[in-house]
């Protein structure tokens, strides 16, 4: 199973360690196409590799097309994450959004109100392990 994990990069990196933990869980169920989202210095690596914004966009869209499912951590608002979720919905790819309600931002109605998106609220990563397993089994 190919999993596209989405989390904020340019919108804020305060959850990067949480992303890494979620990616580790997802790797137990399949191939995470976007494991770089859980790496602290992802932007520096992209820059060192000479990737342009166009390159990043095109690679992400290719991965979205390849993915069997999308799992997005949406607590930190991100234009890129919202764009990826929208593209996944357009491609009829199952989407699971993970959201911590104690965060600083309210979850967008465009995510919570979309019947094509599963939203799971959580506090600790360990609490969503079984939720992710169920989502991946259902849609894998």
């Amino acid at each position: 199973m190919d999993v596209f994990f989405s989390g904020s990069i340019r919108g804020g990196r305060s959850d990067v360690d949480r992303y890494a933990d979620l990616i580790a869980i997802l790797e137990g169920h399949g191939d995470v196409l976007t494991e770089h989202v859980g790496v602290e210095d992802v932007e520096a690596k992209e820059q060192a590799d000479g990737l342009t914004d166009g390159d990043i966009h095109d690679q992400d869209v290719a991965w979205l097309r390849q993915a069997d499912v999308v799992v997005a951590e949406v607590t930190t608002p991100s234009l890129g994450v919202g764009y990826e979720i929208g593209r996944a919905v357009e491609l009829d790819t199952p989407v699971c959004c993970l959201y911590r309600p104690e965060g600083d931002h309210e979850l967008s109605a465009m995510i919570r109100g979309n019947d094509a998106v599963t939203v799971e609220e959580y506090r600790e990563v360990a609490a969503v392990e079984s939720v992710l397993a169920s989502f991946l089994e259902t849609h894998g």
Side-chain angles (χ1 to χ4, degrees):
M1 170 184 299
D2 288 329
V3 179
F4 186 103
F5 178 80
S6 186
S8 176
I9 294 178
R10 294 186 183 175
R13 298 296 285 161
S14 61
D15 284 333
V16 67
D17 292 337
R18 188 176 307 269
Y19 299 161
D21 292 343
L22 290 166
I23 289 166
I25 292 169
L26 294 169
E27 285 175 332
H29 299 275
D31 183 26
V32 179
L33 303 170
T34 53
E35 72 280 346
H36 64 280
V37 176
V39 175
E40 183 69 44
D41 58 350
V42 64
E43 287 185 276
K45 288 182 181 186
E46 290 170 344
Q47 201 169 42
D49 290 341
L51 296 176
T52 66
D53 286 350
D55 295 332
I56 293 166
H57 170 273
D58 294 348
Q59 179 61 73
D60 282 5
V61 170
W63 281 327
L64 279 168
R65 287 188 177 116
Q66 179 182 342
D68 298 304
V69 296
V70 171
V71 174
E73 209 302 345
V74 296
T75 304
T76 298
S78 166
L79 293 170
V81 172
Y83 177 85
E84 291 165 349
I85 292 167
R87 289 295 293 259
V89 168
E90 180 181 311
L91 293 167
D92 289 325
T93 303
V95 178
C96 178
C97 290
L98 305 173
Y99 174 70
R100 292 185 329 280
E102 74 274 3
D104 294 335
H105 304 280
E106 188 71 27
L107 183 59
S108 170
M110 296 303 291
I111 301 299
R112 193 182 296 281
N114 188 330
D115 290 338
V117 174
T118 299
V119 175
E120 295 289 345
E121 292 187 359
Y122 75 108
R123 291 193 181 348
E124 299 297 326
V125 170
V128 293
E129 232 172 309
S130 63
V131 168
L132 288 174
S134 177
F135 176 79
L136 296 171
E137 283 177 31
T138 300
H139 298 290

